[in-house]
Amino acid sequence: MSIEISVLRGRIENAAEAVGPLWPLRTFNSANPLSGFESLPFHEAVQRAGHLFRGRGYPAADLFRRAWERGDIDPEILRRHLRDAGHDLAPSAALDDLPRRDPTPDEPEDERLNRIMSKWLAAFFDHGQAAWPMPNRSDGFFASWRILAPFDRDIPGIRQTSDLPSTKLDAFIEALDGVPEEEWETIFTHHLAALPGWVGLIRWQSRGTAGEWEKAKPITLGGYLAVRLTVARLLGEPLLPEDAPANGEANPDAQTLPAVVLAAWEETYRHRLIDDLTQPPSRTGVDGTGDRPDAQLVFCIDVRSEILRRHLEGLGSYETHGYAGFFGIPMEHESYAPGGGVGERVKACPPIVDPRHRIAERIAPGCEHEAEAYNDWAGIEGTRRTLLKTLKKDVAAAFGFVEGSGGFYGIAMALRTLLPHRVFDGLKSLRERLPGPSSFTEVTVDRPDAPDPEDALPLGLSPEVKTVYAEAAFRLMGWTDRFAPVVVFTGHGSQTPNNPFKSSLDCGACAGNPGGPNARVLAAICNEPAVRDALRSRGIDIPEDTVFLAGQHNTTTDEVTLFVDDEDPPVDPDALKQLRDDLAAARNGATAERVNSMDDQMWTDATRETERRAADWSETRPEWGLAGNAAFIVGPRRLTRNLNLRGRSFLHSYDWRVDDSGTALETILTGPLVVGEWINMQYYFSTVDNAVYGSGSKVTHNVSGKVGVVQGNGGDLMTGLPLQSLYVDDETPFHDPLRLFAVLHAPVERVDMILNRQDTLKRLFDHGWVALAIMDPEENDRVMRYQPGGSWAPMSADEQPAAAVLPDA
């Protein structure tokens, strides 16, 4: 049998589309677990994925029942959806007819094969957790496995390496002998979908952004399949088991009852949101005119920012804007390295964007003394860590180290468990006495005179690029004049110990990293006189007295840290103090709202409670992250300024009046909105079936190779969010699994023009992954909702339900 490599590669690539990429824990990114099915209507996609992954695609009956009892499903809307779908049921009867629980799927026939492959993949992908790494990994997965496979007693029939195929192609030839080519893709799909976590990690690495990781541990889907099919042959297992879910077919015309109830739940929320947006009280407030505000703050569009923005605006003359948290800088961030070494490099832009620049932290002029003090401490700390690692892993010293250090570690554990407040205070005091690199470094926004020709990414930014990024930021926000004396670009990050999924709480627009470095870059650019002169010639007039600052919002404690030299501040000290005082007051209000939503009790000092959560190593719910997200609003702040959106809406600033070509809106829809859809779908599917699409309970998590999390002592990598990020307890959800609702303040013709150019974006709306409505400013903000296929229908006031009431039985 002969196989044409190009045909084989094409079949593998087609089969792999069913499995989405999975980022490692260090930069865990939100992604739609059904991203490979987005070319299909949502209902058909969840059916096909259900067959393939054995997962539920709609909320369980108890989730719907809770929403009904809270009044979140309007009876009339549900009645209309039932009638339109051909169900002759009353709303309460429909809820009673919902299946209570999906039957637990049987263990797959090839579970033994899955366990063996998970074991080998864990060894190959290990990123420093194992004391003895798997040898020969740089040769690739198939080659390194082939050398060691004779030592694996779980695989029969191998006595020596020569018993195995010599190459990957030989492995496929032996495995597919006698199998018609038209069946290959089905076989490959089954074997790739059998371990969507590990395969998703392979897909992430194959995107070409893994850098040194990829060079040290090269693996391809072809290499993985070559090993898996060889092991399956040696185990005597069929290439396609009889229960293979890849054989399942979807019925696109079937209107299942859960799909109908979900649509009614979503429409109820969407109508009520539109009703709030169109009420006269919400049309007042800052609209870009009037008196000059004391300060303007630009936050990430993240739903957690909405709460803090609302509280801050109520305290004084403040104006806030929303912009994707990487602040438009497609960069790789190189952190400061003590002693002049090379710092850690991390991607600091969205997953769908490739970095174009490298921004490094360097010692700022006049800060050499602070850097020297930090270097001394960092050197001592580095020596301590190295010594402890050696003692713990050294065969001769391990037992004595455990005996001698047990008391110390016991006291430390007791403090972290019983007195986490004290731990937080101690760490804060230490940071104040020995500030981190952000206090004595600056970001390198200028290109060096002699760039490194061997570095793939250029260091710094050219003068022309600086102006382009600054202009893009202001135009996307519709902000071309009326600048306050102080403008703060505010990134965000989370604070939590002992949390493998910490990066899922950081900035998704920064690839799961904090957004402070990006804020520092944009602030530095906008403070340059040359950039301001160039912007002025392009119609963006920044006053001479305007100073741009950078900050970072801690989403666990709601504290905002301003990166300012207090000894020589660039703004009036009194104004800076007032801003900090108001940020602290806004923090108190935001933490009270956020913490009380997490617990039944009312906290007398919510701010202190958030500090406990930030320091408590046993805290399973340090914060809710983006749980609750349901809407993406693009428009001026005046539409939402006086509304309590309960931290459920992404808010992106936009002014249609300064975007004649629609370029800014198109960038928002093809960038931030798409990332928002990924986030929304990850939260949706992790909620409706946490065991399959989520990560299960944190209680039984184990980190595998520092790259992912498994349940128990092995198996597939978990692909979604843990149960505690979505549920108040094992049965009560905090996140409402609703598909994203995009509301645009823009003319309908402009939106049509963009959709006609962006087929991928249009499919998300046509196929029901995202719902779309516009408030047309050329029609007195008349609300129109998008209909699949490209038409628009009015979302009239008489269709909207009244205020939420508990439904009758």
Side-chain angles (χ1 to χ4, degrees):
M1 178 185 181
S2 63
I3 293 179
E4 188 174 338
I5 295 178
S6 60
V7 173
L8 179 65
R9 184 178 293 116
R11 294 289 188 179
I12 293 174
E13 290 177 355
N14 289 342
E17 287 299 315
V19 181
L22 175 67
W23 279 258
L25 288 176
R26 175 64 183 81
T27 56
F28 188 82
N29 273 283
S30 294
N32 181 1
L34 271 60
S35 59
F37 298 88
E38 286 182 346
S39 61
L40 300 173
F42 182 83
H43 182 67
E44 183 176 352
V46 295
Q47 287 188 65
R48 289 185 179 274
H51 289 306
L52 190 61
F53 301 120
R54 303 170 186 263
R56 186 193 306 117
Y58 291 101
D62 53 349
L63 269 68
F64 284 129
R65 174 60 67 177
R66 286 190 177 91
W68 172 261
E69 291 172 351
R70 294 195 311 260
D72 291 342
I73 302 177
D74 185 270
E76 293 305 317
I77 291 178
L78 178 55
R79 184 175 287 108
R80 171 162 51 82
H81 277 272
L82 289 168
R83 183 177 63 249
D84 293 345
H87 294 282
D88 187 17
L89 292 169
S92 56
L95 291 166
D96 291 337
D97 281 0
L98 288 169
R100 291 301 168 193
R101 287 287 175 187
D102 294 340
T104 302
D106 297 330
E107 185 177 89
E109 291 185 13
D110 51 4
E111 184 60 27
R112 182 185 177 192
L113 174 59
N114 289 339
R115 287 197 298 269
I116 292 173
M117 291 304 301
S118 294
K119 174 181 65 178
W120 282 102
L121 288 165
F124 183 83
F125 272 112
D126 180 84
H127 201 58
Q129 188 173 21
W132 292 348
M134 181 177 176
N136 304 308
R137 289 190 293 180
S138 60
D139 296 335
F141 181 58
F142 179 84
S144 57
W145 168 82
R146 185 174 179 271
I147 293 173
L148 299 175
F151 301 98
D152 188 348
R153 297 186 179 183
D154 290 333
I155 308 176
I158 309 176
R159 295 185 176 180
Q160 53 192 0
T161 303
S162 59
D163 293 335
L164 296 168
S166 300
T167 66
K168 290 182 285 186
L169 183 60
D170 290 337
F172 279 105
I173 291 174
E174 292 185 27
L176 299 175
D177 186 27
V179 178
E181 182 183 323
E182 57 270 19
E183 295 181 13
W184 291 0
E185 203 165 305
T186 301
I187 292 171
F188 296 160
T189 299
H190 164 72
H191 286 282
L192 291 173
L195 293 174
W198 288 113
V199 171
L201 190 61
I202 297 172
R203 290 211 65 196
W204 165 79
Q205 181 165 309
S206 66
R207 296 162 69 97
T209 59
E212 294 300 321
W213 172 308
E214 186 176 2
K215 295 178 183 178
K217 301 184 281 285
I219 183 172
T220 63
L221 293 169
Y224 163 77
L225 283 173
V227 173
R228 184 177 175 99
L229 295 180
T230 299
V231 175
R233 178 174 57 83
L234 293 171
L235 293 176
E237 295 189 1
L239 288 181
L240 195 65
E242 293 183 2
D243 70 338
N247 294 326
E249 295 295 332
N251 180 4
D253 297 323
Q255 285 291 320
T256 64
L257 197 54
V260 175
V261 180
L262 175 65
W265 186 3
E266 292 171 331
E267 187 173 343
T268 302
Y269 168 78
R270 294 164 185 172
H271 271 293
R272 290 172 180 167
L273 176 62
I274 290 296
D275 187 52
D276 288 339
L277 292 173
T278 54
Q279 290 299 314
S282 69
R283 316 310 300 278
T284 62
V286 174
D287 60 358
T289 62
D291 295 337
R292 189 184 190 192
D294 292 336
Q296 294 161 313
L297 294 93
V298 182
F299 289 87
C300 181
I301 62 174
D302 189 290
V303 298
R304 290 167 290 185
S305 300
E306 183 268 327
I307 300 174
L308 186 64
R309 290 174 64 181
R310 172 165 33 89
H311 284 276
L312 178 63
E313 288 170 340
L315 293 172
S317 180
Y318 294 111
E319 183 177 302
T320 68
H321 296 265
Y323 188 44
F326 76 116
F327 294 104
I329 313 293
M331 70 184 217
E332 180 182 76
H333 176 239
E334 180 183 317
S335 60
Y336 173 76
V342 178
E344 182 182 16
R345 296 185 183 184
V346 296
K347 183 178 179 180
C349 55
I352 60 176
V353 176
D354 292 327
R356 299 180 186 175
H357 315 278
R358 177 166 60 93
I359 303 296
E361 293 180 348
R362 298 289 184 260
I363 300 174
C367 294
E368 290 78 11
H369 178 71
E370 292 87 341
E372 184 178 349
Y374 177 83
N375 291 345
D376 291 342
W377 174 260
I380 296 173
E381 176 64 12
T383 301
R384 183 190 70 84
R385 289 179 179 271
T386 301
L387 177 61
L388 289 179
K389 185 175 181 180
T390 302
L391 291 173
K392 285 190 290 185
K393 294 188 176 182
D394 186 88
V395 175
F399 291 101
F401 173 74
V402 171
E403 291 288 340
S405 62
F408 172 79
Y409 279 99
I411 293 172
M413 183 177 294
L415 288 174
R416 295 173 64 188
T417 304
L418 303 175
L419 298 171
H421 295 100
R422 299 293 186 185
V423 175
F424 182 91
D425 293 340
L427 293 174
K428 184 177 181 179
S429 176
L430 180 62
R431 286 193 297 268
E432 291 173 351
R433 294 183 181 183
L434 188 69
S438 62
S439 66
F440 59 81
T441 61
E442 62 181 8
V443 289
T444 53
V445 295
D446 293 325
R447 285 277 177 87
D449 295 332
D452 184 357
E454 297 184 1
D455 202 303
L457 293 175
L459 179 65
L461 309 169
S462 68
E464 296 78 12
V465 167
K466 293 178 187 178
T467 303
V468 168
Y469 290 148
E471 181 183 14
F474 293 122
R475 294 212 180 277
L476 256 67
M477 291 185 284
W479 184 10
T480 58
D481 55 14
R482 193 173 171 275
F483 290 84
V486 178
V487 177
V488 185
F489 295 117
T490 313
H492 68 93
S494 182
Q495 180 181 356
T496 171
N498 192 32
N499 184 4
F501 286 97
K502 179 187 182 302
S503 59
S504 71
L505 300 175
D506 284 334
C507 183
C510 300
N513 292 290
N518 299 70
R520 295 179 72 190
V521 172
L522 187 56
I525 290 173
C526 292
N527 280 325
E528 292 191 6
V531 172
R532 294 195 185 198
D533 291 341
L535 291 175
R536 193 171 293 113
S537 67
R538 301 184 185 194
I540 301 175
D541 190 4
I542 300 176
E544 294 293 335
D545 67 341
T546 293
V547 177
F548 292 89
L549 305 178
Q552 184 161 294
H553 172 205
N554 183 329
T555 55
T556 306
T557 66
D558 276 316
E559 180 180 13
V560 175
T561 301
L562 300 179
F563 302 130
V564 179
D565 182 358
D566 289 326
E567 294 184 1
D568 185 23
V571 298
D572 178 66
D574 292 334
L576 182 61
K577 181 181 184 302
Q578 184 63 53
L579 175 59
R580 280 179 165 153
D581 288 344
D582 287 338
L583 284 170
R587 173 195 182 188
N588 292 335
T591 54
E593 179 177 334
R594 192 189 307 278
V595 170
N596 290 329
S597 71
M598 300 181 74
D599 303 293
D600 293 333
Q601 61 179 306
M602 297 295 291
W603 293 91
T604 56
D605 190 348
T607 298
R608 192 63 170 158
E609 169 61 12
T610 63
E611 293 175 348
R612 181 198 67 77
R613 294 175 187 270
D616 189 348
W617 72 284
S618 63
E619 177 58 61
T620 57
R621 295 178 179 85
E623 58 161 288
W624 279 123
L626 292 96
N629 73 86
F632 193 106
I633 302 174
V634 181
R637 179 56 170 157
R638 65 177 175 83
L639 293 178
T640 57
R641 181 177 171 92
N642 295 332
L643 296 179
N644 181 353
L645 297 173
R646 296 183 295 145
R648 303 194 67 185
S649 299
F650 299 93
L651 299 177
H652 201 302
S653 296
Y654 173 74
D655 190 339
W656 69 280
R657 297 170 298 182
V658 297
D659 183 36
D660 293 336
S661 65
T663 302
L665 182 59
E666 186 168 3
T667 302
I668 294 170
L669 297 183
T670 55
L673 177 64
V674 172
V675 174
E677 185 261 346
W678 283 17
I679 293 170
N680 174 262
M681 284 290 99
Q682 185 179 64
Y683 274 83
Y684 174 92
F685 285 109
S686 294
T687 301
V688 300
D689 196 333
N690 194 258
V692 174
Y693 298 121
S695 290
S697 174
K698 287 183 176 181
V699 176
T700 49
H701 279 177
N702 276 309
V703 175
S704 178
K706 295 185 179 180
V707 298
V709 162
V710 297
Q711 280 289 346
N713 62 356
D716 194 19
L717 293 183
M718 300 288 96
T719 59
L721 298 164
L723 184 76
Q724 287 80 4
S725 291
L726 306 157
Y727 279 69
V728 176
D729 53 45
D730 289 350
E731 300 294 332
T732 310
F734 177 83
H735 177 71
D736 290 340
L738 308 178
R739 287 169 288 182
L740 195 64
F741 180 40
V743 182
L744 316 180
H745 188 256
V748 65
E749 292 82 2
R750 186 172 302 175
V751 178
D752 276 335
M753 176 183 66
I754 294 171
L755 295 181
N756 289 335
R757 287 201 298 256
Q758 299 290 342
D759 290 338
T760 302
L761 179 66
K762 188 173 184 293
R763 275 201 301 270
L764 292 177
F765 300 129
D766 283 340
H767 292 163
W769 296 90
V770 182
L772 174 63
I774 64 163
M775 298 176 67
D776 193 334
E778 295 184 330
E779 296 289 337
N780 195 29
D781 286 352
R782 184 187 185 195
V783 181
M784 305 284 288
R785 55 183 176 185
Y786 181 83
Q787 306 293 306
S791 61
W792 297 87
M795 202 166 180
S796 58
D798 58 359
E799 293 177 338
Q800 300 173 33
V805 294
L806 292 178
D808 297 328

